[in-house]
Every structure is written in C-alpha cells, then in structure tokens.
Amino acid sequence: MDSSRIYKVSNVALALILCLLPILGYWAIHVRYGTALVEEWLPKNDQVVASYHRFVEHFGHDQFLLISWPDCDLEDARLPIFAEQLLALRQQHPEYRILTVNHSLQAVEQLTNSPLNFTEPEAIERLQGIALGKNLTCFVTLQLGFAPAEMRTQLLDAIAAIAVAEFNFSPEELILAGEPLQVSIIDRASRETMQYWWPGDACEASV
C-alpha cells in the first residue's frame, strides 16, 4: 500500500466534496442520509451495483478499514500496540461493529509459524500487496459489520483519539483507507450541506 498516495487521494476526495457543497444543496435535501452503504447512493438499476450485490451474496457484506501512518513497517513497535487498543475499543463499544482486528506483523508471524514453515523473507514476499504494501508499508485492518453511517464517523473519531492520546500522532499523520472512510466523508458532507441550507428544525423535518 502506498501510504502517500492514499493520503493524497483522501484529501482530494474531501476537497472535491467540499467544493460541490453549494451546488448539491437543493439535491441533498431530497436524499435520505445516514446509510452505511455507498452503493445505496447509486442508481438502483446500475449494472455495477447489480454485480456488487451478487458478490455480496457470496462473500458477505463486511467492510474493511485500513489504518497506517508514515514509516509504519514491521519494526514499528506501535503496530501491535495500536491493534491491542482497537481490540479494547471493540469491547468497550460493540455498537461500532468491529468484527476482527489484524495487522501486518501478525500476518507475517502466522505464516512463519504455520506448518508450512515459511521463512520471514518468504512470508513477506507472499504477503506483499495483501497484508503488506508494495513498499512493505504495514497497517492495521479492521473488519466491520453493518452499522449506521453515524457509527462509522464515531468510530473514526475514536481511532483518531487513540492515535493522539497513545502515540502523539497529529491528525495529518494518521492514514485511513476503505469504504467506512468514504461513508463517513459522504455522510458528514451531506449533513453539513443540509444544515447550511436548511438549518435547525427544517433539516430535521426533512429526514
């Protein structure tokens, strides 16, 4: 995973949404926001959406969130600690629907300790592009079950709070990627648009 690329793409996506807010004001009031599924924002007869639903029928509807930071590699002691903090978060907040917490180092250790007895270089080679980025960037992966979009936003805020409190990260250092991030950005932008154009009770009455 190219961490700088993910960071830039996330920023570009957010900037584009913010630029479009004035144009989307009237349209947003007619959209039911709060969905946790991006495909629900798309036309129901879209062929890509139909293919996606067939995929979901076979593989389930869980979402994945990837968390990393600059220079995160297999030697970074913060990687397993961050994963432990997220496991504790799962216990404290079951409403976030965190199903599993995994990280790159864990995946390498599983292969090296398996009956196949891979060496560490062999495990790294096999996991590159799957549990390791192409440049050997490491990350924590959250598997998430279905939850409302506002829960996704609360989860992202909780993750950012852990990063600041435990590791003294700045908001710009934390790198997030995955559909839950997209859902949160879209949901937050739609709410801000509706509050801007139809503040207060008028916005609430439209939902």
Side-chain angles (χ1 to χ4, degrees):
M1 178 181 66
D2 189 334
S3 58
S4 61
R5 179 181 177 84
I6 291 174
Y7 180 77
K8 290 177 182 177
V9 169
S10 296
N11 277 320
V12 169
L14 180 58
L16 179 60
I17 290 172
L18 293 177
C19 289
L20 290 175
L21 288 184
I23 302 172
L24 298 177
Y26 176 79
W27 171 82
I29 197 66
H30 298 288
V31 174
R32 181 182 181 277
Y33 61 80
T35 175
L37 307 176
V38 169
E39 67 268 18
E40 289 187 10
W41 294 76
L42 303 174
K44 298 301 181 183
N45 59 351
D46 188 279
Q47 188 60 40
V48 175
V49 175
S51 299
Y52 176 80
H53 284 302
R54 288 194 294 271
F55 173 86
V56 167
E57 289 177 1
H58 288 87
F59 299 102
H61 208 157
D62 299 332
Q63 298 178 351
F64 293 88
L65 179 67
L66 276 59
I67 308 165
S68 188
W69 50 88
D71 301 319
C72 180
D73 56 29
L74 292 171
E75 303 298 324
D76 195 328
R78 296 170 295 184
L79 189 64
I81 297 174
F82 207 132
E84 290 175 4
Q85 293 289 333
L86 294 174
L87 284 170
L89 184 67
R90 180 180 68 172
Q91 296 295 325
Q92 296 165 4
H93 294 279
E95 69 274 16
Y96 292 162
R97 301 284 286 123
I98 301 174
L99 302 181
T100 64
V101 180
N102 297 288
H103 58 84
S104 300
L105 179 59
Q106 180 183 27
V108 172
E109 291 174 344
Q110 287 174 346
L111 277 188
T112 56
N113 295 327
S114 72
L116 296 175
N117 198 28
F118 288 111
T119 65
E120 183 171 304
E122 290 172 339
I124 290 173
E125 183 179 359
R126 286 178 174 270
L127 292 172
Q128 198 167 355
I130 302 173
L132 291 164
K134 292 183 178 179
N135 57 354
L136 300 186
T137 300
C138 293
F139 46 87
V140 179
T141 304
L142 297 187
Q143 180 186 10
L144 303 172
F146 178 85
E150 57 267 26
M151 285 295 104
R152 295 293 189 242
T153 300
Q154 291 181 28
L155 170 61
L156 293 177
D157 290 342
I159 291 171
I162 291 173
V164 172
E166 299 295 330
F167 307 105
N168 199 31
F169 284 144
S170 67
E172 293 79 14
E173 289 180 291
L174 198 61
I175 301 167
L176 303 173
E179 187 173 359
L181 176 64
Q182 301 170 32
V183 168
S184 177
I185 291 174
I186 293 172
D187 188 65
R188 194 192 298 268
S190 69
R191 291 174 185 275
E192 291 177 353
T193 301
M194 297 177 75
Q195 287 292 339
Y196 179 83
W197 291 98
W198 290 270
D201 296 337
C203 180
E204 294 178 2
S206 68
V207 180

